[in-house]
Amino acid sequence: MNDIERNIKEAIELLKDLIQTESFSRNEDTVALKMMNYLESYGLKVNRQGNNVWAWAKDVDTNKPTILLNSHLDTVKPSKKWTYDPFEACLEGDKLTGLGSNDAGGPLVALLATFITLKDTEQNYNLVFAATAEEEISGSNGVASILSQLGKIDLAIVGEPTQMQMAVAEKGLMVLDCEAHGRTGHAARNEGENALYKALSNIEWFKNYRFEKVSPHLGEVKMTVTQVSSGSQHNVVPDSCKFVVDVRLNECYSNQELHQIITEQVDCDVVARSFRLNSSFIPVEHPLVQQGIKLGRSYYGSPTTSDQAVMDFTSLKMGPGDSARSHTPDEYIYLSEIEEGVNLYCKMLDQLSI
């Protein structure tokens, strides 16, 4: 058995252990400790902040760029429709079933095995591996909380289930709380100014407006009104109508830029809950993507968000498993997918120049 085969085998055993350990968002303490112990068993100096764990392959060379390998430790909670024990880590042939096996345990341990395989080889870059918290809730105590300690990152691979195809762009997310204002009056008389009617024209705008910039990978910006609330009783003209808009951005716009365009177009209050979850993009011409293409990988734009959304540097989302299995009953991953993932990661990264 060569080094990479041994690293894959050991990483799969760790994955089984992680599946059997509850690790819901904000409660990743035990799995973070397991990850620390695993990395320390290789003689690495391991850092921990909260439930985020990271290690460098070698001392940082400031003359080299830095590549981050990152995936998350946390899982969603299992639904009642599971027919397996979600914490059992049931292996049937090549198929491993368990909560977090696909999202994102498989990508996590595949990146870990890649890190272990490459850590002792002299590379053209600094290499750091980080297993982080709160991805499933876009929490502030996840990867974003340790980026300042990592220093300048030039490139990241974010491990999520993509069937080892390359997500070169990812949609951002901005949630808007909107409110149209009117004036109360009695519904039986011609009194007041109906805020609900004012909101309707704005809602129609959100439905029909098309932003100018269209992404070749993600298409148009998509805005969807998802909640509406107005009125106190049947005979009172409402003086307020509140509604919520879910905005999915392509990489052509920042959240702040899109918010400004929207506020200039509509006649209501528009408050963004956050500007944190931006879209991301890596050029197809980037050396990492070109390496993937040479290895037969395809590329696409991803509609789902990940920790890329809080990274203000170049990143690629890629990992074993299938996004369609995420957050579903009886979630699973194939061990052969993890093996393929590690081999592809290593071929893409070994001696890469960026």
Side-chain angles (χ1 to χ4, degrees):
M1 183 184 296
N2 60 32
D3 287 347
I4 192 169
E5 290 174 341
R6 182 179 65 252
N7 294 338
I8 292 169
K9 182 178 180 181
E10 292 178 357
I12 288 171
E13 290 306 307
L14 175 63
L15 174 57
K16 294 176 185 176
D17 192 14
L18 296 179
I19 290 170
Q20 294 172 68
T21 309
E22 186 178 296
S23 55
F24 304 143
S25 302
R26 297 199 178 101
N27 293 287
E28 308 96 342
D29 180 75
T30 304
V31 289
L33 181 59
K34 289 178 183 291
M35 183 61 69
M36 283 190 70
N37 292 339
Y38 187 89
L39 289 164
E40 286 174 346
S41 73
Y42 283 91
L44 291 159
K45 179 184 177 183
V46 184
N47 305 277
R48 179 171 178 177
Q49 178 178 297
N51 292 329
N52 304 287
V53 175
W54 69 97
W56 294 87
K58 297 176 181 295
D59 291 338
V60 174
D61 183 342
T62 56
N63 295 313
K64 292 181 178 181
T66 296
I67 296 179
L68 167 66
L69 307 182
N70 169 245
S71 190
H72 62 93
L73 291 162
D74 60 320
T75 72
V76 297
K77 293 183 179 181
S79 75
K80 295 180 180 180
K81 294 185 178 181
W82 276 73
T83 62
Y84 289 77
D85 181 343
F87 301 106
E88 185 181 349
C90 179
L91 182 61
E92 299 168 302
D94 188 40
K95 183 179 180 181
L96 178 62
T97 301
L99 183 66
S101 56
N102 179 77
D103 184 13
L108 174 71
V109 301
L111 284 173
L112 174 60
T114 301
F115 175 76
I116 297 299
T117 301
L118 297 178
K119 70 180 180 65
D120 295 324
T121 305
E122 191 65 31
Q123 299 291 343
N124 304 312
Y125 51 84
N126 302 300
L127 184 63
V128 59
F129 168 81
T132 50
E134 296 190 9
E135 189 275 345
E136 295 291 3
I137 58 171
S138 300
S140 59
N141 294 314
V143 67
S145 68
I146 66 167
L147 291 180
S148 62
Q149 297 192 51
L150 298 181
K152 184 177 182 292
I153 302 296
D154 298 275
L155 173 66
I157 297 180
V158 176
E160 292 285 347
T162 69
Q163 298 180 306
M164 286 307 291
Q165 306 307 329
M166 298 181 291
V168 297
E170 178 184 272
K171 283 192 174 181
L173 169 63
M174 182 169 57
V175 179
L176 303 176
D177 289 306
C178 303
E179 183 174 9
H181 299 279
R183 190 174 68 257
T184 58
H186 199 294
R189 296 188 292 269
N190 188 24
E191 294 178 347
E193 184 180 10
N194 196 319
L196 180 53
Y197 293 160
K198 291 183 69 175
L200 286 176
S201 63
N202 289 296
I203 290 171
E204 190 72 13
W205 181 88
F206 280 106
K207 176 184 175 183
N208 296 322
Y209 188 80
R210 295 294 177 267
F211 290 91
E212 178 182 354
K213 299 175 186 177
V214 178
S215 164
H217 305 293
L218 298 172
E220 296 182 320
V221 173
K222 181 175 175 55
M223 299 188 293
T224 307
V225 177
T226 55
Q227 294 174 280
V228 180
S229 174
S230 183
S232 58
Q233 58 192 65
H234 77 89
N235 59 351
V236 177
V237 173
D239 64 351
S240 170
C241 181
K242 297 179 180 179
F243 58 98
V244 177
V245 186
D246 178 290
V247 184
R248 305 286 170 155
L249 297 82
N250 60 31
E251 77 279 12
C252 304
Y253 297 93
S254 69
N255 284 339
Q256 290 92 335
E257 183 182 4
L258 215 62
H259 180 263
Q260 181 176 346
I261 294 171
I262 291 169
T263 56
E264 291 171 352
Q265 295 287 329
V266 297
D267 181 26
C268 62
D269 298 338
V270 181
V271 178
R273 294 183 184 176
S274 170
F275 291 131
R276 290 180 66 241
L277 305 179
N278 281 286
S279 56
S280 60
F281 172 68
I282 182 171
V284 174
E285 297 76 24
H286 192 281
L288 180 65
V289 179
Q290 287 297 306
Q291 278 290 94
I293 292 172
K294 290 176 184 176
L295 292 167
R297 300 295 93 186
S298 62
Y299 57 88
Y300 70 103
S302 173
T304 59
T305 59
S306 71
D307 274 334
Q308 280 185 291
V310 297
M311 297 177 179
D312 61 356
F313 42 82
T314 302
S315 60
L316 175 71
K317 183 166 71 176
M318 184 181 190
D322 188 340
S323 180
R325 302 176 202 150
S326 301
H327 305 182
T328 62
D330 301 337
E331 176 188 353
Y332 65 91
I333 195 166
Y334 293 110
L335 302 190
S336 55
E337 292 177 318
I338 297 173
E339 182 179 0
E340 177 195 41
V342 177
N343 281 289
L344 281 167
Y345 282 146
C346 287
K347 289 176 182 177
M348 291 172 68
L349 286 166
D350 193 20
Q351 305 308 313
L352 179 72
S353 294
I354 60 172

